[in-house]
Amino acid sequence: MKTELTSFLDKYEERILGQSLNLKLLLSAILAGGHVLLEGVPGTGKTQMVRTLANLLGGTFNRIQFTPDLLPSDITGSTIYNMKEGTFQTMKGPIFTNILLADEINRTPAKTQAALLEAMEEKQVTIQGETYPLPEVFFVVATQNPIEFEGTYPLPEAQQDRFLFKLRIEFPSFEEEKNILKQVIENSFDEKLVAAILDMDEFLRIRREIEKVTVSENVLDYMMKIVRKTREAEAIRFGASTRAGISIGKAAQAWAYLSGRDYVTPDDIKMVSKPALRHRIQLSPYVELEGATVDQIIEELVGSVPVPR
């Protein structure tokens, strides 16, 4: 792995304690050109995690608090009439940024959620019939609270499929949480002290290098067998789409690069399969009644596919 990315990860882990694996997966996702759905209870540092990523990348950052009365135009922007000049002007919304935090995305209705679809898939936004390109580096991180159901609107399957990963943010260990409290109480944590380690040009250069990471025929077959197995397993009601296979492949390339290799191994596929699949499959009702979780089923499914030599 390049020195810049090593320094990046070290600094990232120094600022966000207790989430090493999720930080590396989050970095893998943006390097792969995908988007991430973060799930975790309030107060576990989700916003700080995303804001610090933007600071370290030297990119622009916007946060949108999703609410039931949020309108699509509040995200994308709108056209207004300038009475002084007698012309219509386009006011671009907060979506025009490098890193967008869609906070509590499941608190807004499907119509407003859908305002993100074109942007996430095509990196462009249409305002009053006019199409505007988004920055080349455009990364959406959406958060949702798993324990709060009142006043929420679950994300449609089609929109969940647009996210490369779904990451679960767990509570840190005792010592890690103690260190977090110590930093805050002693006022030794200041996000303004986070200096950029990469710039956008360097980041795009690294992304182009990742596209050259080799995926052998055997590893490609292994990856496809995992995806197709989700459509055949009795425990799964709806399996993963072709987009899921693409997501696993691109994420595995980024993970391999971060691990210092220019080729993908079966272990890379295993590492990214769970976060890439957990939001894309639905369990059969009888499996849910038995108390099985999506992660357990994915682990069993991946373990049942022979690893290529």
Side-chain angles (χ1 to χ4, degrees):
M1 184 171 61
K2 302 299 181 184
T3 306
E4 301 96 322
L5 287 180
T6 304
S7 301
F8 188 103
L9 269 175
D10 288 345
K11 190 66 175 179
Y12 203 8
E13 291 176 5
E14 178 188 316
R15 304 296 295 185
I16 308 296
L17 302 176
Q19 299 292 343
S20 295
L21 177 59
N22 279 329
L23 297 183
K24 191 174 178 181
L25 287 169
L26 197 65
L27 182 57
S28 297
I30 189 172
L31 286 169
H35 308 283
V36 171
L37 185 61
L38 284 183
E39 186 176 85
V41 297
T44 47
K46 298 186 293 296
T47 300
Q48 192 63 48
M49 188 183 297
V50 183
R51 191 187 299 275
T52 302
L53 176 67
N55 289 343
L56 290 171
L57 283 176
T60 55
F61 170 81
N62 281 331
R63 174 183 175 274
I64 303 174
Q65 178 62 54
F66 279 68
T67 57
D69 60 349
L70 192 75
L71 299 175
S73 59
D74 294 329
I75 300 171
T76 60
S78 58
T79 301
I80 63 170
Y81 184 70
N82 187 325
M83 295 183 66
K84 185 177 180 180
E85 299 183 7
T87 58
F88 285 95
Q89 293 183 342
T90 299
M91 303 293 291
K92 292 182 177 180
I95 200 169
F96 289 88
T97 186
N98 293 128
I99 297 182
L100 178 71
L101 176 61
D103 220 353
E104 297 184 306
I105 191 173
N106 58 335
R107 283 197 163 278
T108 200
K111 182 179 179 181
T112 305
Q113 291 176 9
L116 289 172
L117 285 178
E118 181 186 15
M120 292 171 66
E121 190 69 19
E122 302 174 35
K123 291 192 176 178
Q124 64 182 31
V125 171
T126 302
I127 304 172
Q128 294 293 316
E130 192 77 25
T131 300
Y132 300 89
L134 289 164
E136 190 169 357
V137 177
F138 175 67
F139 183 51
V140 175
V141 181
T143 70
Q144 61 181 11
N145 182 353
I147 62 173
E148 200 167 354
F149 299 104
E150 188 174 346
T152 60
Y153 305 82
L155 288 178
E157 286 76 11
Q159 182 147 353
Q160 291 195 55
D161 200 33
R162 258 62 175 196
F163 289 98
L164 182 81
F165 284 157
K166 179 180 180 181
L167 304 181
R168 292 207 167 102
I169 308 300
E170 308 291 348
F171 289 113
S173 67
F174 181 90
E175 285 301 321
E176 288 165 340
E177 192 164 14
K178 179 182 174 182
N179 287 332
I180 293 170
L181 296 177
K182 186 177 179 181
Q183 282 185 352
V184 175
I185 291 170
E186 294 178 354
N187 294 320
S188 60
F189 182 88
D190 186 353
E191 65 185 36
K192 294 178 182 177
L193 297 176
V194 181
I197 290 178
L198 297 176
D199 58 30
M200 288 295 106
D201 290 338
E202 181 68 13
F203 178 80
L204 288 170
R205 184 190 65 77
I206 292 172
R207 184 181 277 181
R208 287 191 291 271
E209 285 186 8
I210 288 172
E211 292 172 356
K212 299 174 185 175
V213 171
T214 303
V215 182
S216 69
E217 199 71 26
N218 285 343
V219 172
L220 188 61
D221 286 344
Y222 177 63
M223 179 176 67
M224 284 308 306
K225 286 175 182 176
I226 291 173
V227 173
R228 295 184 73 86
K229 191 88 170 178
T230 65
R231 304 170 195 164
E232 302 164 0
E234 291 184 6
I236 298 175
R237 187 180 179 191
F238 297 116
S241 66
T242 303
R243 187 186 282 117
I246 295 170
S247 295
I248 292 173
K250 287 184 173 296
Q253 284 180 303
W255 186 269
Y257 188 89
L258 286 174
S259 302
R261 282 179 278 101
D262 61 357
Y263 58 92
V264 173
T265 68
D267 284 340
D268 297 326
I269 301 296
K270 287 181 180 180
M271 179 59 68
V272 302
S273 287
K274 192 187 295 183
L277 291 175
R278 60 163 58 115
H279 57 299
R280 288 184 160 105
I281 63 176
Q282 286 188 17
L283 300 185
S284 298
Y286 80 89
V287 176
E288 291 181 324
L289 287 173
E290 290 174 355
T293 65
V294 171
D295 283 4
Q296 288 172 346
I297 297 301
I298 293 173
E299 286 175 9
E300 291 174 8
L301 183 147
V302 172
S304 70
V305 178
V307 178
R309 293 186 178 276

